[in-house]
Amino acid sequence: MDKMYNKSLKANAANLRKNMTEEERKLWYDFLRGFSVRFYRQKIIGRYIVDFYCAKAKLVIELDGSQHYTREGEESDEIRTRYLKAYGIKILRFSNLDISTNFKGVCQTIFSAVEGCINSD
């Protein structure tokens, strides 16, 4: 298994933090940035950069744009999910449409997942 931190991805992760999508900005600034448990943006985990990561809950949140709904995108996401699960990390996926049309529900799902992950330890 790869190391948890891949230095070769550092510049790309920094660029992604500077150029977040509209949906990533909304979730970060309107919910995760002030969350009671710390989240990181564009966190490097092994050979991947995840959208948001909470180390205390071992939880990744991914926001999926249209490229994730192609056959290739779904296959790539499945490989990525198996990889992260091998580290004991839980993954929550939301579409960009979820952020736009059901933001409150997304936030409640994240809140419940964090509580569930932390309280299961």
Side-chain angles (χ1 to χ4, degrees):
M1 183 159 294
D2 299 337
K3 292 184 269 181
M4 280 290 279
Y5 185 78
N6 184 338
K7 289 182 184 179
S8 68
L9 297 175
K10 189 175 180 179
N12 192 23
N15 184 49
L16 290 169
R17 278 190 296 277
K18 289 178 189 172
N19 297 295
M20 289 189 296
T21 67
E22 179 181 335
E23 293 81 9
E24 288 170 340
R25 279 192 307 275
K26 180 169 181 57
L27 185 59
W28 177 251
Y29 288 109
D30 294 351
F31 186 64
L32 294 178
R33 185 174 71 163
F35 198 75
S36 59
V37 179
R38 184 169 184 172
F39 274 86
Y40 298 89
R41 297 177 293 151
Q42 306 303 332
K43 177 73 173 164
I44 299 168
I45 300 177
R47 61 180 174 240
Y48 295 105
I49 301 171
V50 301
D51 292 336
F52 302 99
Y53 178 63
C54 177
K56 186 170 184 176
K58 290 190 85 171
L59 177 69
V60 162
I61 299 170
E62 292 281 55
L63 301 186
D64 294 343
S66 59
Q67 73 277 14
H68 292 269
Y69 299 104
T70 64
R71 189 183 74 214
E72 295 84 11
E74 289 175 353
E75 289 170 0
S76 177
D77 286 345
E78 181 56 36
I79 292 166
R80 180 183 178 106
T81 294
R82 284 195 307 267
Y83 180 88
L84 294 170
K85 283 185 176 182
Y87 281 114
I89 296 170
K90 181 177 179 173
I91 299 94
L92 287 179
R93 289 188 168 279
F94 300 100
S95 71
N96 286 340
L97 186 62
D98 291 331
I99 299 298
S100 300
T101 62
N102 187 24
F103 188 70
K104 187 175 180 179
V106 167
C107 296
Q108 183 57 49
T109 300
I110 293 168
F111 180 84
S112 297
V114 170
E115 281 205 333
C117 290
I118 291 173
N119 292 332
S120 69
D121 290 339

